[in-house]
């Protein structure tokens, strides 16, 4: 039987719905995003990825990131972070008092080439000044690694590439690396094997799991990795985002479903599940689809 | 890390879509059910619960069970089973050469009272002659226990009630007991704890997991129990059935998602995933909703 004692007693949820989620949905009004972030701020979540300072040419859904960071009601104890792929983005993020920033690398060479038009190594070099300047401004930097369990272009991704990119992001100054199963193809043994490999170069307290539920595997994969000591999980309220590589399929694992599983195992997240379900249902009114959270669907169905 | 070595190398899938699934969907034409069972028969599945010989007054969706058992193209090596809650049902099942039958008990006293209008003990006594006559006719009997991880009426279900009903079904002559999380509320530690308790009275090779995905937990729960040596899993193609207690929510875990997870862990099911997805998509055309399988949704979305 799996080892409850090896699991963390407490898990940090990194809520990525307002950014990673909404950037893959139809554009919603700025006011609705602000309302979502404000609602999430009252659920007990302590980390909300709120905006992305990228070119609006590439991601028009995030063009209002400065307004969002200025309009939200910030709560004490909550980190409001943003994605900053370059110095221009960092500058914009700092101008609106973003608490933390993040850079986004890939473990897949082909994904890197197709997505950001450069090699993995080149992308890391581009992040170097971003990380340096953020740290000079006393801002912590989170690093993402995408495609850790598979790539939509090259298929398999060698473990060495995952560990190399994770290690380099830490060495460059990221305080944490989030391991993304971007297309949700991983299964539990594979997920645990990948995390074990990364643990050889990055300690557990500097790792986060960012698993997508495209193939329904996210919770099982998280379960398999909790025993390895990782205690930070990225998720999106209502499973916001869907899968950009398979229209109609799921993307980010739903925060509601993660919290429900952890609650049931006595692992504390500090999150009020009912308030979370409500926040997710409210933003979904703008999206033309229901929550992609089984927990939310079940609880909302009970209400009739 | 969880123990791959403790997991079975091979898992038996009990496909319950045509019965447990379709009985909780809008009625579909007999020909569509026959087509579904015939399609499933070509996927490598070796066990298909195909019909239910209950009063059509209670379950009108299953009124054509005799026709189904007579019209399907039976394949060698596949068991086509049916639910038979009473002697009349057993008689009807035997008249059309049903390979195996099943009886359905609850671990929840209140569920038993509300669902079949008698106590758990009374329900077991009613099954006794059914099991005896089936065995006299050389027909194996499977036993279901519902509400093993929670009940829509009484909430918590004592472990003692689960183990007692499971043991009694085996003692009465069932060759296998299927442990049903009927409302899908269980989480992994709770599921593993329940199965461990049952293993004290029934050996692993006589147990099956019948987990619903209403709260998105089914695969994680299955993962947590695989290590305990259980190697039979009930599931429904396309997640057929939904949840009768929460309209719009999920019910049976999707066979596609289970097979995908097991494939990824190198656990053999003998099932052709592509053929399974196709069979599920075809029946969903009659139901007015898409497959409730993340794997099916992802794969069908890729086709565009």
């Amino acid at each position: 039987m799996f080892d409850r004692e090896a699991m963390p007693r407490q898990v940090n949820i990194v809520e990525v719905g307002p950014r990673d989620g909404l950037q893959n949905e139809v554009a919603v009004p700025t006011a609705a995003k602000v309302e979502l972030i404000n609602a999430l701020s009252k659920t007990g979540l302590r980390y909300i990825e709120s905006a992305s300072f990228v070119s609006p040419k590439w991601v028009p859904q995030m063009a209002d990131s400065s307004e969002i960071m200025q309009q939200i009601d910030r709560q004490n104890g909550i980190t409001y972070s943003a994605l900053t792929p370059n110095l221009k983005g960092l500058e914009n993020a700092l101008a609106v008092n973003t608490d933390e920033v993040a850079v986004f690398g890939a473990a897949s060479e082909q994904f890197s080439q197709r997505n950001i038009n450069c090699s993995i190594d080149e992308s890391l070099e581009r992040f170097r000044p971003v990380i340096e300047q953020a740290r000079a401004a006393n801002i912590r930097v989170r690093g993402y690694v995408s495609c850790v369990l598979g790539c939509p272009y090259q298929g398999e991704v060698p473990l060495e590439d995952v560990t190399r990119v994770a290690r380099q992001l830490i060495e460059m100054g990221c305080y944490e690396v989030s391991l993304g199963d971007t297309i949700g193809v991983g299964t539990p043994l594979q997920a645990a094997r990948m995390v074990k490999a990364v643990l050889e170069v990055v300690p557990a307290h500097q790792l986060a799991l960012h698993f997508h539920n495209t193939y329904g595997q996210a919770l099982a994969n998280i379960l398999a990795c909790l025993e390895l000591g990782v205690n930070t999980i990225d998720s999106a309220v209502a499973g916001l985002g869907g899968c950009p590589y398979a229209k109609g399929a799921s993307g980010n694992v739903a925060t509601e479903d993660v919290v429900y599983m952890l609650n049931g195992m006595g692992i504390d997240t500090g999150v009020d599940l009912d308030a979370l379900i409500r926040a997710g249902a409210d933003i979904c009114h703008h999206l033309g689809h229901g929550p992609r959270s089984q927990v939310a669907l079940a609880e909302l169905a009970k209400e009739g």
Side-chain angles (χ1 to χ4, degrees), chain A:
Chain A
M1 185 169 159
F2 68 99
D3 187 3
R4 170 65 184 87
E5 291 310 306
M7 290 189 187
R9 310 229 144 259
Q10 185 268 328
V11 156
N12 310 307
I13 301 284
V14 170
E15 171 58 47
V16 300
R19 197 285 301 175
D20 190 25
L22 289 185
Q23 95 169 36
N24 291 309
E25 301 274 3
V26 295
V28 300
T30 304
K33 298 182 189 175
V34 170
E35 201 181 304
L36 170 63
I37 295 168
N38 288 347
L40 292 171
S41 297
K42 293 172 187 156
T43 62
L45 285 163
R46 288 179 295 258
Y47 195 110
I48 304 173
E49 197 185 60
S50 305
S52 182
F53 293 93
V54 292
S55 166
K57 202 172 74 184
W58 299 115
V59 190
Q61 293 96 324
M62 294 284 121
D64 53 359
S65 285
S66 292
E67 289 81 350
I68 289 168
M69 294 307 285
Q70 287 171 310
Q71 291 174 23
I72 53 175
D73 292 329
R74 300 197 192 198
Q75 302 296 316
N76 286 333
I78 300 181
T79 300
Y80 298 91
S81 72
L83 207 66
T84 56
N86 50 42
L87 283 172
K88 176 74 185 154
L90 177 65
E91 194 181 303
N92 292 338
L94 294 181
V96 290
N97 291 311
T98 302
D99 295 328
E100 252 191 48
V101 299
V103 295
F104 195 100
S108 154
E109 199 58 55
Q110 284 191 31
F111 190 87
S112 190
Q113 291 287 358
R114 294 237 221 163
N115 220 37
I116 45 179
N117 219 14
C118 64
S119 72
I120 293 174
D121 287 334
E122 283 164 344
S123 76
L124 293 174
E125 283 314 309
R126 285 186 200 176
F127 297 144
R128 194 177 292 279
V130 178
I131 297 172
E132 278 167 9
Q133 293 212 13
R135 297 193 68 195
N138 243 337
I139 296 287
R140 301 206 301 173
V141 184
R142 193 169 200 249
Y144 283 100
V145 188
S146 67
C147 300
V148 297
L149 294 173
C151 167
Y153 308 119
Q154 77 183 47
E156 288 203 17
V157 174
L159 273 186
E160 310 85 85
D161 291 344
V162 179
T163 55
R164 178 170 65 89
V165 176
R167 198 194 59 232
Q168 279 190 257
L169 285 169
I170 293 291
E171 284 175 0
M172 284 162 65
C174 291
Y175 74 99
E176 180 172 277
V177 166
S178 172
L179 300 166
D181 180 11
T182 310
I183 52 173
V185 294
T187 46
L189 273 180
Q190 192 192 2
R193 201 173 293 138
M194 180 275 297
V195 169
K196 273 187 97 168
V198 177
L199 283 171
E200 289 175 23
V201 293
V202 179
H205 72 273
Q206 291 191 290
L207 289 182
L209 308 173
H210 183 107
F211 290 165
H212 281 208
N213 200 39
T214 315
Y215 285 77
Q217 310 293 309
L219 289 188
N221 293 348
I222 289 170
L223 179 68
C225 297
L226 280 174
E227 273 183 298
L228 300 172
V230 182
N231 74 340
T232 299
I233 297 172
D234 296 5
S235 59
V237 65
L240 290 178
C243 179
Y245 305 97
K247 206 172 150 54
S250 293
N252 287 297
V253 65
T255 309
E256 297 93 318
D257 298 5
V258 173
V259 169
Y260 183 92
M261 180 174 83
L262 296 174
N263 282 348
M265 301 201 294
I267 297 174
D268 179 42
T269 62
V271 176
D272 175 342
L273 189 52
D274 289 336
L276 193 64
I277 290 169
R278 195 66 47 202
D282 285 347
I283 188 67
C284 283
H285 289 146
H286 296 274
L287 299 175
H289 61 71
R292 293 196 192 89
S293 153
Q294 300 296 334
V295 168
L297 289 172
E299 288 296 314
L300 295 169
K302 276 207 270 179
E303 292 173 12

